[in-house]
Amino acid sequence: MSINADTNTDLYDECTADDTERNETTPLLANGAQTRTKGASFASSVFNLMNAIMGSGILGLAYAMASTGIVGFCILLVVVSSLAAYSIHLLLKLCDKTGINSYEDLGGRALKKPGKVLVGITIVIQNIGAMSSYLFILKSELPAAINSFLSSHGTGDAWYQDGRLLLIIVTLCIVLPLSMSPKIGFLGYTSSIAFFFMLYFAVVVVVKKWAIPCPLPHNTTTPPDTLQSSNYSECTPKLFVISSKSAYAIPTMAFSFLCHTAILPIYCELDRPTKKRMQNVTNVSIGLSFVFYLISALFGYLTFYAHVDSELLLSYDAYLRHDIMVMTVRLAILLSVLLTVPLIQFPARKAVILLLRRDQSFSWLTHIAVTLMILAIVLLMAIFVPDIRHVFGVVGSTTSSCLLFVFPGIFYLKISGQPLKTFDSIGALVLLVFGLMMGITSLSVIVITLTQSS
């Protein structure tokens, strides 16, 4: 399949294809007559997609494993990652069939204007929730990171120990300038850095498994090697666990593999953007993310067992406060999360603009205004959210399940025109049913749990 190199793509353009040429080319046409420059490389697209996939989710998966058991977690991780890759396959097929590169416009094609509005609102809520979770990590981890480098701890009144103030400063100085980029391909450079930070995180979690004794010392002021506990059953890994906390596991995984809002923009900026080439980008990205997720969750769980925190790095504070590797990995994760926020902000801004404006020509005024509005909302949510697992649970069971499973299934069944007995139609139906069951069940249990605890 060859690509016409003289065509152009834009952030808000649709990928249109002539039916008479569909078997030979997938032209990416734009409103203007500018020549399409060379697109993002395969490696850059993989880094961007991995950065969209991986983020705060990697910090919550050890807690998910503690809530489901090792075997239960592995089964769920395989199922969710496989369905995520398959739903992307359906979206790419629809993009090639219809010439549409916008998730929102696919909703419009399948369900008319209400579908477009519904998808746009879902994307905005999902990405705001994702960015809020990332900034929540910055709020909780930045003071801890600074304190870990200080020889003595103050009373907590110093400005650099105020997570909210640090969050505002970082957002204005780093997140905001990067978020102003009008091209998602540009973020491939920062995404490649974030990838190596995540790799370093996985290595440190593995190494530190043997630095913290089990049973965990209950008196953290005493050196760990001098403490003993009779409750050695705490050190026995559980293969299967079913409890109210298990309801957070699948939404956290769905949250951790959701990259669908970034798929089509990355597809249209990919150099030589064929479906097969973009599917390879997807498979590599999800495969690598799967490995990182499994390693970090497994060794994080085998370090703290049932005592693992909903945000993994916080679990190390009591036992390895001034450990060099933990200190540096905390900084690495902070930088990685920091570099992910602008990438996640991109589809949220695009969705808002598509909902607000009929004229989709690029406008710097609209671009800047929407960016500032989204970041302001995200910043306020990050400041006032009490626990990151609430974000994972509620957002993961609602908007994440819709974008990951429900919408791709509905869109394919409505747009493809294929008989229900075909393989992809059956797969789309499975996605739809699984997404609805997962979302309703998990959200119900989470709401009941939060109500009872309050």
Side-chain angles (χ1 to χ4, degrees):
M1 184 178 288
S2 62
I3 301 299
N4 183 355
D6 293 328
T7 56
N8 179 55
T9 189
D10 188 85
L11 290 179
Y12 313 111
D13 293 336
E14 292 186 351
C15 306
T16 57
D18 191 314
D19 290 337
T20 61
E21 298 177 351
R22 191 173 305 281
N23 293 329
E24 299 176 4
T25 184
T26 307
L28 302 178
L29 304 179
N31 295 330
Q34 298 175 347
T35 301
R36 184 179 193 266
T37 57
K38 180 178 175 63
S41 67
F42 185 92
S44 176
S45 299
V46 168
F47 286 136
N48 261 341
L49 191 54
M50 283 195 67
N51 201 18
I53 296 172
M54 300 178 67
S56 58
I58 198 172
L59 300 178
L61 288 178
Y63 181 83
M65 180 175 284
S67 303
T68 56
I70 294 178
V71 175
F73 176 88
C74 291
I75 293 174
L76 292 175
L77 194 68
V78 170
V79 170
V80 173
S81 61
S82 300
L83 291 179
Y86 182 70
S87 63
I88 291 173
H89 159 73
L90 295 184
L91 289 178
L92 295 177
K93 286 192 69 173
L94 293 179
C95 180
D96 275 3
K97 178 180 177 64
T98 62
I100 294 175
N101 80 318
S102 164
Y103 207 145
E104 300 88 336
D105 287 334
L106 283 176
R109 174 67 68 89
L111 304 173
K112 309 303 179 183
K113 186 174 181 179
K116 181 175 181 178
V117 173
L118 177 62
V119 173
I121 293 175
T122 304
I123 289 175
V124 172
I125 295 174
Q126 158 66 33
N127 286 17
I128 285 178
M131 288 186 287
S132 298
S133 71
Y134 298 161
L135 294 187
F136 178 91
I137 291 173
L138 290 171
K139 180 186 72 174
S140 61
E141 289 291 341
L142 269 177
I146 293 175
N147 282 333
S148 66
F149 283 96
L150 299 177
S151 56
S152 61
H153 297 283
T155 61
D157 296 331
W159 68 270
Y160 54 80
Q161 293 177 320
D162 186 341
R164 292 170 296 181
L165 178 60
L166 291 175
L167 183 60
I168 294 172
I169 294 173
V170 167
T171 301
L172 293 177
C173 296
I174 301 177
V175 176
L176 180 59
L178 288 176
S179 297
M180 288 299 176
S181 171
K183 285 286 185 180
I184 198 170
F186 168 78
L187 297 175
Y189 300 104
T190 58
S191 296
S192 62
I193 299 174
F195 166 81
F196 290 106
F197 286 156
M198 288 295 182
L199 176 61
Y200 179 56
F201 170 79
V203 170
V204 171
V205 171
V206 173
V207 171
K208 291 306 173 183
K209 160 68 179 75
W210 289 273
I212 297 177
C214 190
L216 294 174
H218 298 292
N219 179 10
T220 57
T221 60
T222 307
D225 56 356
T226 65
L227 293 167
Q228 299 293 330
S229 171
S230 59
N231 190 14
Y232 283 93
S233 62
E234 292 182 356
C235 303
T236 302
K238 304 296 189 297
L239 299 183
F240 289 98
V241 175
I242 298 179
S243 68
S244 60
K245 294 181 180 180
S246 303
Y248 289 92
I250 296 182
T252 300
M253 294 179 190
F255 189 94
S256 301
F257 279 105
L258 183 65
C259 57
H260 295 49
T261 56
I263 281 290
L264 299 184
I266 291 175
Y267 182 22
C268 274
E269 291 193 14
L270 176 66
D271 187 35
R272 295 180 285 117
T274 63
K275 178 188 177 299
K276 180 179 179 181
R277 185 171 168 80
M278 187 61 206
Q279 189 67 56
N280 289 336
V281 169
T282 300
N283 295 340
V284 171
S285 301
I286 290 183
L288 289 175
S289 300
F290 177 92
V291 172
F292 284 1
Y293 281 162
L294 182 59
I295 291 175
S296 59
L298 178 62
F299 284 90
Y301 169 63
L302 293 178
T303 302
F304 300 102
Y305 295 92
H307 300 288
V308 66
D309 199 279
S310 60
E311 201 267 77
L312 181 58
L313 281 178
L314 294 179
S315 301
Y316 291 96
D317 283 348
Y319 311 103
L320 300 172
R321 185 179 297 274
H322 293 289
D323 183 87
I324 296 298
M325 290 188 72
V326 173
M327 292 160 59
T328 54
V329 81
R330 174 174 274 117
L331 288 179
I333 286 295
L334 289 178
L335 290 173
S336 177
V337 167
L338 192 62
L339 297 175
T340 302
V341 175
L343 186 67
I344 303 301
Q345 192 268 351
F346 182 95
R349 178 180 61 217
K350 182 172 179 285
V352 172
I353 293 175
L354 282 172
L355 291 174
L356 296 180
R357 294 182 56 189
R358 291 186 178 181
D359 178 17
Q360 296 304 314
S361 59
F362 182 77
S363 167
W364 273 110
L365 179 61
T366 304
H367 182 86
I368 293 173
V370 173
T371 301
L372 293 175
M373 178 186 69
I374 291 175
L375 289 182
I377 295 173
V378 169
L379 192 57
L380 289 174
M381 287 187 61
I383 290 175
F384 293 107
V385 167
D387 192 334
I388 194 173
R389 70 171 182 160
H390 298 157
V391 177
F392 289 153
V394 176
V395 175
S397 61
T398 53
T399 57
S400 293
S401 63
C402 286
L403 294 169
L404 192 64
F405 307 120
V406 178
F407 288 164
I410 292 176
F411 295 170
Y412 188 83
L413 292 174
K414 294 285 290 185
I415 298 174
S416 67
Q418 297 295 315
L420 190 58
K421 294 182 179 180
T422 60
F423 179 82
D424 281 337
S425 294
I426 295 174
L429 187 60
V430 170
L431 282 177
L432 175 59
V433 173
F434 179 83
L436 289 174
M437 291 177 58
M438 183 209 79
I440 294 173
T441 303
S442 298
L443 182 61
S444 300
V445 175
I446 290 169
V447 170
I448 293 173
T449 302
L450 291 177
T451 301
Q452 290 177 343
S453 63
S454 63

